[in-house]
Amino acid sequence: MRNFDFYSPTRVFFGKGRHEQIGEIIKEYGFRKILLHYGGGSIKRTGLYDVVTKALKNSGIDYVELGGVRPNPVLSLVKKGIELCREEKIELVLAVGGGSVIDSAKLIAVGTMNDCDPWLIVTKEVTPKAALPVGTILTLSATGSETSSSAVITNEELKLKRGYGSDFNRPLFSILNPELTFTVPPYQTACGIVDIMMHTLERYMTQKGEVDITDRIAEAVLKSTIRAGRIVMENPYDYDARATIMWAGSISHNDLTGAGRDYFMITHQLQHEISGMFEIVAHGAGRAVVFPAWLKYTYKQNLSRVCQYAVRVWNCEMDFENPEKTALSGIEETEKYFKSLGMPLTLGELGIGEESIKEMAAKCTNYGTRLLPGFMRYEEKELEEIYRLCL
Ligand code: NZQ
Ligand code: ZN
């Protein structure tokens, strides 16, 4: 087991009706003026906006609004949010929505307190020194941004989607009411399930040997997410299944499932280049395409780990004479499951062809300036081959 720091300071308010307490919660922390940040309108359609604004008013919390965050959130809106926070002397940014809204809120909160172009924070050229606190009301289980230290933003001018990590990104509190996810459409629900599995697998599919407790936690998260995923695709109003997925999302990316292991971001990066160039592609859908291809390309580099995954997560039989067969059956089960959720498995299904591969691979390596780790270290040529396996 590797040495590790575990820091997950976000206070989680979980369960039915918890979002109605938003006014009291903010008041208890002592904040008086907040930025209410949200997306393209789902919170208005579901009635959540009315509940939240009423609760804020009842508790005497003054708020300024900034809606319009789009999936794969953009830098220009972040800059607008920063100006607003400075002008209005905002004390806390409240994100009401999915990962895109939360990430946009995180960079607004950090950007407000650091006098620089916020893109320099994303590209890690400037290390942030302070941030406004962020609170969240989560409406979509997927990214784990409600407890994670990361934020992912697209620079529309450069057509680059990049993530950065900082403990300033950890929300102060997150309200998780599974009922708020009942209205998430099936495709988006499926994207979320894939993303949760990926956060767990990016830590699981690493080189470090014996970390039994972390492996078992990760396998439990995977197995219960897979099971609950099947249930919500049949019945989107199943509270316990939605609750399982919501909690799995939060613990899959707060570093618990990686304690003592490495964290290989390779499939994340392969997907970020897809959504960076083709903003229409949902994060989870891109992940469903690249993960099985990456594993097919690379499983021989760590055969025992992929076999462990196949046997413990998918109940595949261990073939001691032919372990490759076991590993491949685990990959096949993963693909079958993604397909059953309605996820794409090829770039073609996302409308992307061979002509984009060279550019995506070059961007993955920041134009040849870095190697991506993950079972082996990948250069541009290998990344192109992985993308080609996705065609
Ligand atoms: O914008 P609105 O109108 O709210 O609609 C959203 C959006 O269209 C809709 N939606 C959200 N909650 C809903 C709902 N529709 C009906 N009912 C509800 N309750 O769903 C659509 C997608 O929302 P979005 O926030 O984009 O999805 P997600 O949560 O998957 O976030 C994706 C973004 O997070 C980043 C991704 O790269 C992507 O940009 N990630 C952030 C991470 C982090 N900060 O730790 C890690 C993740 O792996 C990921 O990279
Ligand atoms: Zn992700």
Side-chain angles (χ1 to χ4, degrees), residues 36-50 52 96-97 137 139:
L36 174 58
H37 199 37
Y38 54 90
S42 74
I43 68 161
K44 292 201 170 159
R45 287 193 297 278
T46 60
L48 177 59
Y49 173 87
D50 293 336
V52 169
V96 186
I137 300 179
T139 63

Side-chain angles (χ1 to χ4, degrees), residues 217-232:
I217 291 171
E219 287 153 7
V221 169
L222 288 166
K223 291 184 85 141
S224 38
T225 302
I226 291 163
R227 181 175 173 275
R230 290 195 174 108
I231 296 172
V232 295

Side-chain angles (χ1 to χ4, degrees), residues 187-240:
Y187 188 81
Q188 205 64 53
T189 299
C191 287
I193 292 164
V194 172
D195 203 20
I196 292 165
M197 291 175 65
M198 290 302 106
H199 286 138
T200 314
L201 284 166
E202 281 173 333
R203 293 164 168 99
Y204 190 86
M205 293 293 178
T206 54
Q207 296 288 28
K208 202 73 195 158
E210 165 87 15
V211 198
D212 193 48
I213 182 158
T214 296
D215 282 2
R216 302 278 178 186
I217 291 171
E219 287 153 7
V221 169
L222 288 166
K223 291 184 85 141
S224 38
T225 302
I226 291 163
R227 181 175 173 275
R230 290 195 174 108
I231 296 172
V232 295
M233 295 318 282
E234 289 291 316
N235 176 12
Y237 301 101
D238 189 304
Y239 179 84
D240 290 325

